[in-house]
Structures are given as structure tokens and as C-alpha cells.
Amino acid sequence: MTTPVLSARGMVKTFGRVVGLDGVDLDLYPGEVLAIIGDNGAGKSTLIKCLTGALVPDTGQMFIDGQPVHFKRPQDALDAGIETVYQTLAVAPALDIASNLYLGRERRRPGFLGSALRMIDKKGMRRDAGKALADLGIGTLQNMAQPVETLSGGQRQAISVARAATFGSKIIVLDEPTAALGVKESNQVLKMIREVRSRGLPVILISHNMPHVFEVADRIHIQRLGRCAGVVTPQTHTMSEAVAIMTGATTLADTPGH
Ligand SMILES: Nc1ncnc2c1ncn2[C@@H]1O[C@H](COP(=O)(O)OP(=O)(O)O)[C@@H](O)[C@H]1O
Ligand SMILES: [Mg+2]
């Protein structure tokens, strides 16, 4: 049997009297796109925040490649190769595209200029940023020196995904990447997700856009009222069946799929 790249067992997270997660299990297998769907407040963001060190669960266990891990801060997950694009995009609007791609990981000039004078390799970063975006099929961003504040929402999202794809060595997590985007921009992000998967990197995609989910997901984890109501696939379940399980109109037991 294949060992999951990431697995979580019994994740519980409360906020005072509010239960965000009520004992959730999750498995992510090599090379798959795992979608997480659920109504507002179902615990999707809380779940991925716990998986990526942005929140520490009250109880629960996590394993990477079968080995127990304990993330106490986002840096711990980053160190483990997990890159996350949160719902609230973290971009620096005044900085250019290349600087945003390398934010916090700026490359130094080779030799003395970089090591002693700490000079940043702007030219190299711009060249490689252009290549990273082109490799992901983003042809519309040509000038890496363009400030991010001048870009559309979709282009900013593309840069955030590209950043994750460039530095993520293990898992990419995307929280609602197409929520604020038009049709064309959404398609571009979906294309990037497929490109990331074809590189062998598994992706966790949080979305409540069913057509998008059914287009790219290999499996779909359905989150409902802080719990996992079931895991389905686009082959076994229709969109309306998945939504019915998500809203509680039916259960996985009553709708086992075909
Ligand atoms: N920081 C927080 N403080 C208090 N309650 C929170 C906090 N974050 C999430 N919650 C609550 O936890 C539940 C799950 O929220 P969330 O994970 O954001 O849901 P989703 O992303 O599926 O919309 C909701 O009831 C939400 O109000
Ligand atoms: Mg959310």
C-alpha cells in the first residue's frame, strides 16, 4: 500500500466555545490533487492552517511520509517542504514580480558582493522568475520588474501559486485560489495546478467551486460542521451528490457512489 505523503488523524481545534475542527482525518497521496470542499464555516481553512503550522491543533497527529511531525509555526511546515497560498494573499504590492516570487528568500550576488556586501542578485532573480512563470504556462507576465500593485487579481494569484510551486518540494496547499477570479484567470490557475501535479507534487486545493473541483481533483475530501463527511472522487460521485453530502442532505453511507 502507498504511504500518504501527508496524513492527519483526529485533528481537533477549538476557538473558545467554537469548534473549528472536531476530529478530522486526512490523507494526501503522492502526485494527487486532493480537493477540500465544504460550506462556509465547515473548517476548511482551520484544517489547512493546522496542516501548515499556522495554527496548532488542540489534539491530533500528523505524519509526513509516515513519520510523525509537530508543526508549531509556519516555518516548520515550510522547512518540511509544504508551501501554502492562504486565502488572504500575502503579496507585497509595492515590490516587483521577481521580488515577490523570492520574498524572504532573496538570492545574493555570487562571491564577495553577495557574501560580504549582502548584495541581492536582482538580475538573476528576474531571469529565473520569468522562467518559473513561463514553465507554469503564464505567458501574460513579461516584465518581472513590474510592481505587483499594477497587476490584476488573477495575475497576483498566479504569482502566489508560482511562488509555492517554485519553493514547495513536498506539498502545495491552495486555499480558494480561484474564488475572486474570472473565467479566463481561473482556467489559468487550474492549468498551473495540473502542471504542478505533473511535476509529481501533490496539491491540496480548497475550493467551493464545484466545476473547478471536479475538473482537477483526483479525490475530494468533504468537510461538514468541523468533520470529514466523506471522501469521494469525480468518477464515483456527481457534483450534486457531493454537494448533497456537503450540505447534509444525504450521507456518504446513503450515497456510496457508483
Ligand atoms: N480565529 C478564530 N477565532 C474564532 N473562531 C474561528 C477562528 N477561525 C475560525 N473560526 C471558526 O471556526 C469555524 C471554521 O472556520 P473556517 O475554518 O474558517 O471555515 P471555512 O474555511 O470552511 O469557511 C467557523 O465557525 C469559524 O467561525
Ligand atoms: Mg476558509
Side-chain angles (χ1 to χ4, degrees), residues 191-208:
K191 195 171 138 197
M192 290 175 85
I193 292 171
R194 282 195 214 96
E195 172 59 32
V196 169
R197 174 177 54 193
S198 75
R199 293 177 185 184
L201 268 181
V203 177
I204 296 178
L205 166 70
I206 293 91
S207 178
H208 52 229

Side-chain angles (χ1 to χ4, degrees), residues 40 44-46 87 175-176 206:
N40 282 332
K44 304 181 297 296
S45 292
T46 304
Q87 209 164 355
D175 195 357
E176 298 278 3
I206 293 91

